[in-house]
Amino acid sequence: MSDINTLKTELTNAIEAANDLKALDDVRVSALGKKGAVTALMKTLGGMSPEERQEQGPLLNALKDEIAALISAQETALKKQELDQRLSSETIDITLTARPEQAGKIHPLSQTIDELISIFGAMGFSVAEGPDIEDDWHNFTALNFPPGHPAREMQDTFFLPEDESETDPERAKKLLRTHTSSVQIRHMEEGEPPFKTICFGRTYRSDWDMTHTPMFHQMECLYIDKNVTMAHLKGCLTDFVRAFFKIDDLPVQFRPSFFPFVEPGAEVDIGYYKQGEGIKLGKAPEGQEQKWMEILGAGMVHSNVLKNCGIDPEQYQGFAFGCGIERITMLKYGIPDLRTFFESDTRWLDHYGFSPLNRPNSATGQ
Ligand code: FA5
């Protein structure tokens, strides 16, 4: 008993005297470690008679618990003391400039798609989707490209292995869609007119230079109803380009053109003029030449396309148009090289990207 009391007094004094965490840990090892004094006393229990053990056991266990509790309390006190010292000695220099924080940016293509959704959303269009891997029927035949027709070669196609489980050869032949016009077909096959949709997506062609990449994005617009005319197409397209480029009097010109899936078909140009070394979109000032740049293909949906989708062309007509999303983004934001869109260079994104806190507003269409 006296051994226990003596050891307790010694250890209590040592714990109180420990004035840093290292000294306290030394006391803990000397008391409770493998070769510590309390551990050594605990080991003597094995050699005692049962009666002695019954008497000494609880006393030794109490000593062990008490010492452990004292060490823990001292540790808390020392840590607090250390923190108080640090807080009173350290100061923060609030005049230092903050470290720059790398904020994420919205990719210009995502920005353009959001802007287009807000413009067409305000005109009552909804968004449709379709697969990137298409079949010959949806990408070509249903769109009135006859088999072997040279128009199929206008769009250098990436073909995929045939789907052997498919019995219809036009559906067995798989490819990466060359345009989003395939989504028109899927949409008209699956639903009932009227249709008033836009669609965005990746499209693929075997092309590679400053203005062409093997993967790019297109937007497609489709409006089918009773009594839809070319005048609606012109009005809708003109409103769209003027809202998108934010130029109220942007000149818009329709030139006759050929796409197998529309009749009549048109290419649509917007006006620009030379300014210094560069160009500026808009109406040329007096005395300057008005120049034209093609931005999209459009037309009245061909009656064969409507029939291929089970729609009676005597009752329903409509228009469609499609454009490259990179092309209009480059024009609007002055991005010179299409290939940079897909290089994943964060410096480029930092320069041309948009703040996530400043998204297009769907209520105003801006
Ligand atoms: C079409 O793809 C038609 N489906 C558009 C259409 C839809 C016409 C509805 C009529 C009615 P075109 O092949 O011209 O048309 O391609 C449209 C746009 O895609 C081009 O004006 C161009 O901006 C873009 N484009 C085409 N190939 C590439 C490419 N390799 N890289 C980037 N953009 C491309």
Side-chain angles (χ1 to χ4, degrees), residues 53 88 250 281 283-284 343 358:
R53 199 178 306 130
S88 62
L250 180 65
L281 290 181
K283 200 165 168 216
E343 283 171 354
N358 186 17

Side-chain angles (χ1 to χ4, degrees), residues 48-313:
M48 291 180 191
S49 67
E51 296 75 27
E52 255 182 322
R53 199 178 306 130
Q54 214 165 16
E55 187 197 330
Q56 292 292 309
L59 296 174
L60 282 174
N61 274 329
L63 170 70
K64 191 175 145 198
D65 291 347
E66 232 170 292
I67 296 302
L70 283 173
I71 290 174
S72 160
Q74 181 72 347
E75 188 181 354
T76 310
L78 286 173
K79 279 187 178 160
K80 181 174 180 309
Q81 193 182 319
E82 207 173 83
L83 182 66
D84 287 348
Q85 265 168 12
R86 257 186 44 212
L87 288 177
S88 62
S89 65
E90 283 177 7
T91 50
I92 297 171
D93 182 353
I94 56 164
T95 62
L96 277 177
T97 41
R99 285 195 196 103
E101 244 180 56
Q102 180 116 41
K105 288 278 183 83
I106 301 290
H107 195 283
L109 279 179
S110 305
Q111 175 80 10
T112 295
I113 290 175
D114 285 355
E115 288 170 4
L116 295 172
I117 290 176
S118 82
I119 292 169
F120 282 97
M123 293 195 228
F125 285 82
S126 55
V127 178
E129 285 183 342
D132 289 26
I133 296 179
E134 261 304 355
D135 52 42
D136 193 79
W137 167 257
H138 290 96
N139 197 79
F140 289 126
T141 310
L143 282 160
N144 201 33
F145 286 82
H149 192 280
R152 286 178 182 244
E153 276 144 44
M154 277 160 54
Q155 308 189 348
D156 276 335
T157 313
F158 291 113
F159 286 99
L160 300 170
E162 292 207 355
D163 178 354
E164 285 165 9
S165 65
E166 199 43 88
T167 47
D168 177 347
E170 279 173 340
R171 291 175 200 261
K173 206 167 175 184
K174 298 287 181 195
L175 46 91
L176 292 175
R177 67 178 175 198
T178 57
H179 53 177
T180 41
S181 300
S182 54
V183 183
Q184 284 183 32
I185 302 299
R186 289 194 173 269
H187 196 64
M188 290 194 281
E189 278 176 344
E190 282 159 20
E192 291 293 324
F195 300 104
K196 202 172 177 191
T197 55
I198 41 168
C199 138
F200 306 94
R202 280 187 280 264
T203 43
Y204 307 83
R205 294 183 196 179
S206 179
D207 262 344
W208 177 254
D209 60 35
M210 244 180 105
T211 51
H212 295 86
T213 48
M215 189 281 295
F216 58 102
H217 294 73
Q218 279 194 350
M219 183 205 78
E220 187 90 4
C221 176
L222 175 72
Y223 182 27
I224 305 286
D225 204 343
K226 293 179 175 166
N227 307 318
V228 179
T229 68
M230 192 88 184
H232 293 108
L233 168 61
K234 289 186 83 172
C236 177
L237 255 176
T238 306
D239 281 355
F240 145 55
V241 289
R242 288 182 176 169
F244 179 73
F245 290 106
K246 296 197 167 106
I247 304 174
D248 289 344
D249 60 349
L250 180 65
V252 181
Q253 161 180 287
F254 287 67
R255 269 182 301 107
S257 184
F258 172 75
F259 297 97
F261 34 95
V262 286
E263 181 56 38
E267 262 171 344
V268 177
D269 304 332
I270 52 174
Y272 73 95
Y273 54 94
K274 286 211 160 144
Q275 199 182 53
E277 291 296 294
I279 62 157
K280 194 163 166 46
L281 290 181
K283 200 165 168 216
E286 280 284 302
Q288 271 219 49
E289 187 191 353
Q290 181 72 65
K291 292 183 167 286
W292 298 98
M293 179 183 311
E294 181 247 309
I295 58 157
L296 53 83
M300 299 304 290
V301 177
H302 199 291
S303 55
N304 287 348
V305 174
L306 294 173
K307 282 187 216 152
N308 286 338
C309 299
I311 295 167
D312 179 1

Side-chain angles (χ1 to χ4, degrees), residues 10-80:
E10 272 174 27
L11 288 174
T12 308
N13 290 341
I15 291 167
E16 277 169 12
N19 52 11
D20 62 34
L21 288 168
K22 164 85 183 66
L24 183 66
D25 198 53
D26 290 345
V27 179
R28 186 188 61 76
V29 172
S30 75
L32 305 174
K34 264 190 189 164
K35 294 183 181 157
V38 177
T39 315
L41 270 184
M42 298 289 286
K43 281 183 186 158
T44 62
L45 283 172
M48 291 180 191
S49 67
E51 296 75 27
E52 255 182 322
R53 199 178 306 130
Q54 214 165 16
E55 187 197 330
Q56 292 292 309
L59 296 174
L60 282 174
N61 274 329
L63 170 70
K64 191 175 145 198
D65 291 347
E66 232 170 292
I67 296 302
L70 283 173
I71 290 174
S72 160
Q74 181 72 347
E75 188 181 354
T76 310
L78 286 173
K79 279 187 178 160
K80 181 174 180 309

